[in-house]
């Protein structure tokens, strides 16, 4: 028999662990769905920006300033679950960066931008288009690939149409562009030379920065090769 801090009785400790895991998973799903995790994350960024402004005299980031102190609206249990989500995603991104760095610096790779025709966008769902991209990359039979969805950002790029597309890195030195039947494909070779170190870093940061964007249910949108 096991009794938790709230006085709930369980037959044994394993039953308590399973019950606690279900509660945590449910809470995490709710935090991602109702936007509270975003509040928690933005508060972390705000606190870091405040720290930098006080220590180094940098300007406080106006985008996150409004989130200072707002974490008090979360319960301690919600904060604990938010921290687990944040730490988990951070570790995933770090592992992805490490893998990408290894592949890009040791093998021939291509950077792809995959777009969709109007008729494809109008007659399919985002989920279906994700399947298209996944199938296309898998059909290339390359040792490694990773891709993510993007919509552009007019704040950073005024020319952006904020149109759905995908970015991908594949381990290959050649691609038959006629194999892609859903729109236009742009291909750029990633060269591992001294002069391109900054560009390689840009590739890695651009891909990983968007790799775990929140969907309405908090699911990551990463597509990657497995067991290669």
């Amino acid at each position: 028999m096991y009794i938790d801090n709230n006085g709930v009785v369980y037959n044994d400790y394993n039953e308590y662990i399973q019950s606690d895991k279900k509660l945590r998973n449910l809470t995490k799903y709710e935090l991602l769905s109702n936007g509270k995790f975003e509040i928690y994350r933005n508060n972390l960024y705000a606190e870091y920006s405040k720290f930098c402004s006080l220590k180094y005299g940098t300007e406080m980031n106006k985008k996150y300033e409004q989130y200072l102190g707002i974490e008090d609206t979360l319960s301690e249990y919600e904060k604990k679950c938010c921290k687990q989500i944040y730490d988990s995603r951070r570790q995933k991104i770090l592992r992805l960066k490490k893998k990408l760095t290894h592949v890009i610096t040791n093998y021939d790779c291509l950077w792809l931008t995959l777009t969709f025709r109007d008729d494809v966008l109008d007659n399919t769902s985002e989920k279906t288009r994700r399947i298209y991209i996944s199938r296309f990359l898998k059909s290339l039979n390359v040792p490694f690939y990773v891709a993510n969805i993007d919509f552009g950002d007019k704040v950073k790029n005024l020319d952006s149409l904020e149109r759905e597309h995908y970015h991908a890195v594949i381990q290959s030195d050649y691609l038959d562009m006629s194999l892609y039947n859903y729109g236009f494909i742009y291909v750029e070779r990633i060269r591992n030379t001294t002069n391109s170190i900054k560009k390689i870093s840009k590739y890695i940061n651009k891909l990983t920065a968007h790799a775990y964007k929140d969907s309405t249910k908090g699911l990551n949108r990463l597509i990657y090769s497995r067991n290669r």
Side-chain angles (χ1 to χ4, degrees), residues 79-91:
K79 291 179 185 178
K80 180 180 178 181
C81 290
C82 282
K83 185 178 187 304
Q84 290 176 352
I85 297 171
Y86 181 84
D87 289 345
S88 175
R89 291 189 172 188
R90 184 170 179 273
Q91 288 302 315

Side-chain angles (χ1 to χ4, degrees), residues 109-112 168-170 172-175 187-190:
C109 293
L110 301 175
W111 170 266
L112 313 180
V169 169
I170 65 170
S172 178
D173 61 353
Y174 172 77
L175 176 68
V187 181
E188 185 176 352
R189 189 179 301 280
I190 302 175

Side-chain angles (χ1 to χ4, degrees), residues 11-203:
N11 292 326
D12 54 42
Y13 185 71
N14 288 332
E15 182 182 352
Y16 160 71
I17 292 297
Q18 291 301 317
S19 176
D20 182 63
K21 184 177 180 180
K22 289 180 181 179
L23 176 60
R24 279 187 285 113
N25 288 339
L26 177 60
T27 302
K28 289 176 183 179
Y29 177 86
E30 291 175 346
L31 290 168
L32 289 165
S33 300
N34 60 27
K36 286 189 175 182
F37 172 72
E38 184 177 357
I39 291 175
Y40 173 87
R41 181 185 58 190
N42 288 340
N43 173 257
L44 289 182
Y45 297 158
E47 291 292 347
Y48 179 71
S49 180
K50 179 182 178 180
F51 167 79
C52 291
S53 66
L54 294 175
K55 187 173 180 64
Y56 304 110
T58 57
E59 185 178 354
M60 180 72 186
N61 190 317
K62 302 299 182 183
K63 179 179 178 181
Y64 299 113
E65 190 173 14
Q66 60 181 311
Y67 291 96
L68 284 173
I70 203 169
E71 82 283 2
D72 292 336
T73 60
L74 303 176
S75 69
E76 290 303 316
Y77 188 74
E78 287 176 329
K79 291 179 185 178
K80 180 180 178 181
C81 290
C82 282
K83 185 178 187 304
Q84 290 176 352
I85 297 171
Y86 181 84
D87 289 345
S88 175
R89 291 189 172 188
R90 184 170 179 273
Q91 288 302 315
K92 287 178 180 178
I93 291 175
L94 290 175
R95 288 196 296 269
L96 174 60
K97 282 189 175 183
K98 183 177 181 181
K99 177 65 175 179
L100 267 172
T101 301
H102 172 74
V103 172
I104 288 175
T105 55
N106 289 281
Y107 303 98
D108 292 324
C109 293
L110 301 175
W111 170 266
L112 313 180
T113 299
L114 306 160
T115 68
F116 300 102
R117 299 189 310 271
D118 289 339
D119 62 301
V120 176
L121 285 172
D122 293 339
N123 297 303
T124 59
S125 66
E126 182 182 308
K127 181 178 179 180
T128 299
R129 294 189 291 273
R130 175 187 169 86
I131 293 173
Y132 288 166
I133 297 297
S134 181
R135 287 176 177 172
F136 166 71
L137 293 173
K138 189 174 182 179
S139 70
L140 298 178
N141 197 31
V142 295
F144 172 83
Y145 62 79
V146 60
N148 70 288
I149 195 171
D150 197 6
F151 295 91
D153 188 341
K154 279 191 175 295
V155 175
K156 295 181 179 180
N157 180 10
L158 294 177
D159 296 327
S160 172
L161 300 176
E162 296 185 337
R163 185 184 179 96
E164 181 186 324
H165 60 279
Y166 278 78
H167 293 298
V169 169
I170 65 170
Q171 184 183 327
S172 178
D173 61 353
Y174 172 77
L175 176 68
D176 182 353
M177 292 187 289
S178 66
L179 297 175
Y180 186 71
N181 301 315
Y182 309 111
F184 296 103
I185 180 171
Y186 303 91
V187 181
E188 185 176 352
R189 189 179 301 280
I190 302 175
R191 300 185 183 279
N192 181 23
T193 64
T194 303
N195 294 331
S196 66
I197 293 299
K198 290 184 179 180
K199 200 168 188 178
I200 290 174
S201 298
K202 178 182 176 182
Y203 284 129

